[in-house]
Amino acid sequence: MIAMERFGDDLPVRPYVPPTALLASGVCASAWLMLEAGWRLHGGGDMVPWLVACALGLISASMLALAYGLRGSGRLGSATRPLSMAGLGILIGCIASAAWLLRWQTESRSVLGAGGGACVLIARGDPSAGERGFSSTALMVDADTGRRLGKVRVLGDGKFENGSSIQAVCRVKELDDSEYAHSRFAKGEVASARIVSVVERGTEVRGVSIGALRARALRVIDADGSDSRALVAGTVCGRTTELDRSEARAYFSACGLMHLVAVSGSHFVYISAILERVLRHAGLSKGAQQSIMLLVMAAYVVFTGGAPSAIRSVSMVAIASAAVMGHRRAHAPSGLAIAVAILVALDPGTIYDLGFRLSVASVSFIILFGPYVRFHLRALHIPALVADALSITLVAQWATLPLTLPVFGELSLVSPLANLLVGPIMSGLLVAGLLGTGVATISDAVMQLMGVLGGLGPFVDFALAPADGLARISVFIAQVCAAFPFALVSVDATWVVAPIAYGVAFLMYVRWRFIMPRRIAAALLLVSACAVIHVTYWTRFAPPEVIVLDIGQGDAILIRDGPSTLLVDAGIGEATRTALARNHVFQLDGAVVTHWDKDHWGGLPDVVESVRVDRLYVADGAAGHVPAELSDGPSVSELREGDAVRVGSFVCEVVWPDVRVSGDENADSVVLDVSYEGARGSLHVLLTGDTEREELEAYMGEVGDIDVLKLGHHGSRISVSDEALDKLLPELCVASAGEGNHYGHPNPACVRAVEASGSKFLCTKDVGDVHVTPGNPYPQFRTQR
């Protein structure tokens, strides 16, 4: 007990949260509200009147806060200073975001008014790899007048490198109301532009400039050469285009290590350390050394693409340096708050940048709670070296989980261990990569000036060998950690995650007391027990049910009973992975791909990354047409008519197709007659893939009376006939379709036919997931909404 009291006496001092934190909060909150208002109004014509009204309200509120905050003197004035800071922040954010929105509206009118056609596009930033090629942010310029029109998102088959320009004929499309369009709006882009044809290619970045230096460094690194070189390019140059398409990215994401690649404060710590050693022997004054280091760091921010998180880091360094040179004490929380306020005021769209938000959240929590958590880890007799690294990892994850879970829907349980193992290696990789890339790039430039072309390959490999080796080790460790059972679990993140995480942080900051080790152990045991019970229930004792998942415009049906699970189709994109998470699926015994339309298999690569899938089932003859994206996936088995797949007490019998098929056509879809007989009652479901009434009438005689019909082809006009409905007699018909889809699914004629037959009709776009469970005497169903 005496030892515990001594630990309590040594508790770190609670960090001071300055009034500038409310300044930054006011800027961010008002900027977010204004930009959200602008986004919701952008399709309704002129947003200026609405923005003026909103701005007047915010300015009035901020002026009242300022007036109240500045009214008193003495203790009253000191007590109300935070309120005045908040009011000032609201005022700044309101004015900055109003100017940003008006500029966006002007550029939008210019770009859409030009209507595409012939224009000049100048790339701004590295290209991003997608399912349909590459996309880049570009500045659109009128080809005739040279007038700047605005920023657009350029879509094309090839890489449009940063700084390069082309004259092209484009097809311009206005931003719709999707989440993706919202993210482009936050970047200041006003439209999307698909390149129809290239008229003339401009020159790439050349000469003596930071952009030219970066292009040369990337050419020397050769990120396309291997996963390790892609990791070096990402760590040193801030370019992740090639890394995003590599297996290393999957391993790092599964282990929660991507923050080690992003350009952040650690980069500038090592740069300043290297520079300090060099400048120390130059005999320069302290002020000159600080100025040179800031210039080099600013240049490195430009070199790595100018990510908001990197700008935030350099801004904090600059603020701290200014304080020191002004004979003031550098205060990290104040520096962070001022940096955030300045960056958001200069570019309000920064508040939507996930990297910036993660950077701010993790740094603020490390400043506030890092010593506190480290102290308690030491109280648990964890060695100091491990406690230092582990406290930073835990605090950063605590801060960022409420931001990452709603976006990615995944939780890395192996992240603390992986960060402890890979973190030091990545630090070495950063230093070795900076030095090796610098030497190789300078040598390449010198050889070119001397007129010597080629022949540097072995020297470049030698210079980059240490970084390359450390990158290989990092990828290997990440691969091993990612292979652990439940290393990465899908989580259905709800709105309660952020209030709980940040609410606990607020209470801990307010109380700031020593927590007895036995209470920490008890809390950890309780959390672990709840997690084990949750996973055990859903992996061993899940109730029998068929779930038509709401995954947008596509098909995905989950069949499960106890420990057995089968997924029929996987939609497209990440929606199916998210749907499996909200239904507590941690593994799949198999997945059936009814046919090779992208909206039936496109989400499977994401599913395979997040949960274990033991086997892939396709139609007889379709195995030879497996897409390249699934070539490294689960082993493939073909299903013939009459074959059956068992899922617990469910029997899924194949009733179509009756011949060998390629799997490329809707009529090739695998159709499953799913039946259940057990203690919970009975259930009979027909899953039809994309087959329509012609195929349905061919196989319906083998099926008989059913309880539930999953309508073929998303409820198209010819998905079902009156004859089929009379023969099958389903009590419930379900269509899987996405809200606002341009196909018009489900077709009103299909809906009328179903309702006229006396069957109930449901569509996932209206009710969400549709759960159907066995019952006695009748099956039961419920919906997500």
Side-chain angles (χ1 to χ4, degrees), residues 413-427:
L413 299 181
V414 77
S415 176
L417 174 62
N419 274 273
L420 281 176
L421 297 175
V422 178
I425 300 173
M426 288 295 292
S427 297

Side-chain angles (χ1 to χ4, degrees), residues 668-699:
D668 297 344
S669 297
V670 174
V671 177
L672 296 177
D673 182 12
V674 181
S675 58
Y676 175 94
E677 292 290 342
R680 293 177 179 267
S682 62
L683 177 62
H684 196 175
V685 181
L686 184 62
L687 305 179
T688 58
D690 264 358
T691 58
E692 294 181 329
R693 64 188 180 198
E694 182 178 346
E695 295 81 34
L696 179 58
E697 291 172 358
Y699 59 72

Side-chain angles (χ1 to χ4, degrees), residues 435-515:
L435 295 175
T437 302
V439 170
T441 303
I442 293 171
S443 300
D444 181 71
V446 171
M447 296 294 283
Q448 186 176 8
L449 287 174
M450 295 173 61
V452 180
L453 301 178
L456 270 180
F459 178 78
V460 169
D461 291 339
F462 176 77
L464 291 175
D468 206 8
L470 292 171
R472 293 177 187 274
I473 295 172
S474 299
V475 173
F476 173 76
I477 296 176
Q479 183 179 4
V480 171
C481 291
F484 289 176
F486 301 109
L488 183 71
V489 296
S490 297
V491 177
D492 180 24
T494 63
W495 63 271
V496 301
V497 176
I500 291 176
Y502 296 145
V504 169
F506 176 78
L507 291 176
M508 289 183 66
Y509 180 81
V510 171
R511 290 177 60 85
W512 203 262
R513 295 180 181 175
F514 174 68
I515 303 174

Side-chain angles (χ1 to χ4, degrees), residues 205 224 239 272 291 425 439 453 462 486 510 533 537 572 642 660 664 674 717 730:
V205 181
D224 281 318
R239 179 185 172 96
S272 62
S291 300
I425 300 173
V439 170
L453 301 178
F462 176 77
F486 301 109
V510 171
I533 292 171
Y537 175 79
I572 188 170
R660 285 180 63 84
D664 295 329
V674 181
R717 184 178 57 84

